[in-house]
Amino acid sequence: MNPTIRLPGLAPLMLLGTLAVLGVLIVLPLGVVFHQAFAKGLAAYIEPLTHPDALHAIQLTLTVAAISVPLNAVFGVAAAWAIARFEFKGKSLLVTFIDLPFSMSPVVSGLVWVLLFGAQGWFGPWLRDHDIRIIFATTGLVLATVLVTLPFVARELIPLMQDQGADEEAAALTLGAGGWTTFRRVTLPNIKWALLYGVLLCNARAMGEFGAVSVVSGSVRGVTTTLPLHVEVLYNDYEFVGAFAAASILAGLGLVTLVLKTVLEWRHSGELSAGRRH
Amino acid sequence: MTVATLAPPAGKPRSRWKEPSILPGFPLAMGWTLAYLGLIVVLPLTALVLRPWEAGVAGVWATLTEDRVLAALRLSFGASLLAALTNVPLGLMTAWTLTRYEFPGRRIIDAFVDLPFALPTAVAGIALTAIYAPTGVLGEQFARLGIKTAYTPIGVYIALLFIGLPFVVRTVQPVLQDLDREVEEAAQTLGATNLQRFRLVVLPAVLPALISGFSLAFARAVGEYGSVIFIAGNMPLKSEIAPLLIVIKLEQYDYAGAATVGLAMLVISFGALLAVNFLQIFLARRGRA
């Protein structure tokens, strides 16, 4: 479809309006992050980023993402295989449950873990007796992150695999390939770009998540603060340059994600789920 | 589609809830899926549904009728509704421009629409606060007009506007792209004005997508936390959102109270989405009649 200028009188107006909305609402906040981060020069920008607390926050963020993302990627593949390759009763209910975390408030996604494992949680006393910490510890951060980012990979793979159908896998099996071989040689190559796309979005959310982890973290500076929580701690301490410097790293992560995502949409649009094709 | 035709030769006993298939791996994939969902989604949600009732129905009622809780729920749902409603025309305009006009940098601008999805919410939160604070770029201008933006419900509304826009754009865009141009051209040939063409041809076609986009933006806005709490100012009864109240109740070790607010948010959101679904069905029926 070739977009052409259909309404000559209105076109410049619509374009200007769109640019104004996107400029004020979306580009300006992004610009402000970098402007504030560098407000006092390069040295003032780098100094808070090399602080041990900041380094620890970066390391913790990477650790949490490194555990959560693979878990949800494996889940996404398993769920897509079950849902897109087999017919069974209760399928739509299952899909509803997979989508559920998307419609939950991040705060609720953190709250539910406190209700289970917090000091007064269902399993709280047992955990205390056995000296196991989940809330205010890395495990809690991982659980909250896993819940928030659970649908990302599955959401990309299920519609794609449903579109592709099972003919190729059936052919491979008929020709004598084993189950795992079929999966590795036929299914995986067909879904690799969509899998990567899902992992990309999942990772961006995992590293940037704030609400859910803030509930389970207790924000002990330098202990359970991920990078987004570190931004909050600094901001509330009126260390604005430091807060925006840390925020600029997260904004950079967001930009890189956006670029990679756009490249995937342009280069491999045929191999992504229909909603991602531009 | 093809899955049903892959049935193995007859004679094998048919399982009751699953259609037979020659593809392997169902027990493993399904087992893993159910176990994982059970542990990560179902078990925690069970706690959310059951824990509010620890102090009985009276306890739930007492929490829900606290002035602070009522004010927070009213603000969260009210600001979300307003922001999502504002995002409908803004999103439609953006989607229209991106699908109908060709201009340099269109694809870059298109990619930027997703920024609120990609930018961590805390980052958006402090950036918006810096912009709309009384000393900020835009906050200063508003202050001159006598309007306080940051640290008021208006600040909450602005943050929700930011977070909701891509939902409307991304649901409307594919529909506008696939819209049959011939119908529009026919309308034009038959002498319809631009406004008539928009109102009678384009709008009915994109209305369901607009409503979906609206409800997605609304649902996201109701639960939004990170981008809101910095700009909101969090004054009890005035600019305190419901998710923040959950955090406050947890800090006071009022687990049942926190769970009550969380459950109330979930139930109200669910009711709103149900209402939107009925509206969609109603519109689809009317469209066919």
Side-chain angles (χ1 to χ4, degrees), chain A residues 1 3-4 6-7 14 18 25 72 75 81 86-89 100 105 115 119-121 146 167 261 266, chain B residues 2 17 19 23-24 26 33 36 45 51 93 96-97 99-100 107 114 129 162 177 185 194 197 223 255:
Chain A
M1 185 137 308
T4 45
R6 308 277 314 170
L7 305 169
M14 294 286 273
T18 301
L25 220 50
N72 281 338
F75 164 74
W81 183 263
F86 299 92
E87 290 303 325
F88 54 88
K89 283 187 187 140
L100 203 58
S105 169
L115 296 179
Q120 294 164 43
V146 164
D167 293 350
K261 171 180 166 306
W266 290 355
Chain B
T2 45
W17 65 289
E19 305 257 337
L23 295 179
F26 183 75
T33 303
Y36 194 81
L45 274 180
R51 293 216 51 171
M93 175 178 72
W96 180 276
T97 307
T99 46
R100 291 302 170 97
R107 295 179 86 177
D114 280 334
T129 312
F162 167 84
Q177 221 141 30
E185 276 158 17
N194 284 338
R197 213 173 72 207
Y255 283 23

Side-chain angles (χ1 to χ4, degrees), chain A residues 156-157 159-165 168 189-195 197 261-278, chain B residues 107:
Chain A
E156 295 303 324
L157 293 184
L160 177 75
M161 285 175 66
Q162 271 170 340
D163 276 359
Q164 287 174 342
E168 289 186 29
N190 278 339
I191 62 168
K192 64 175 183 240
W193 295 114
L195 180 60
Y197 191 95
K261 171 180 166 306
T262 309
V263 168
L264 279 179
E265 281 166 8
W266 290 355
R267 291 268 173 84
H268 302 284
S269 69
E271 295 147 281
L272 298 178
S273 64
R276 303 301 187 187
R277 288 168 202 157
H278 275 236
Chain B
R107 295 179 86 177

Side-chain angles (χ1 to χ4, degrees), chain A residues 236-267:
Chain A
N236 289 342
D237 284 350
Y238 301 102
E239 294 176 41
F240 293 127
V241 172
F244 279 101
S248 75
I249 295 191
L250 288 167
L253 166 79
L255 282 176
V256 169
T257 305
L258 214 55
V259 169
L260 292 176
K261 171 180 166 306
T262 309
V263 168
L264 279 179
E265 281 166 8
W266 290 355
R267 291 268 173 84

Side-chain angles (χ1 to χ4, degrees), chain A residues 142-225:
Chain A
V142 170
L143 287 173
T145 307
V146 164
L147 174 54
V148 169
T149 59
L150 182 132
F152 279 101
V153 176
R155 274 284 83 197
E156 295 303 324
L157 293 184
I158 293 169
L160 177 75
M161 285 175 66
Q162 271 170 340
D163 276 359
Q164 287 174 342
D167 293 350
E168 289 186 29
E169 278 111 356
L173 288 163
T174 316
L175 294 172
W180 281 111
T181 314
T182 306
F183 177 76
R184 229 182 48 239
R185 297 274 188 86
V186 179
T187 312
L188 217 47
N190 278 339
I191 62 168
K192 64 175 183 240
W193 295 114
L195 180 60
L196 187 65
Y197 191 95
V199 164
L200 191 69
L201 297 188
C202 184
N203 180 63
R205 184 67 194 266
M207 288 188 174
E209 178 50 31
F210 177 73
V213 290
S214 103
V215 173
V216 294
S217 121
S219 287
V220 187
R221 189 170 173 171
V223 183
T224 56
T225 44

Side-chain angles (χ1 to χ4, degrees), chain B residues 217-228:
Chain B
F218 174 76
R220 170 71 197 260
V222 167
E224 182 56 25
Y225 181 69
S227 60
V228 179

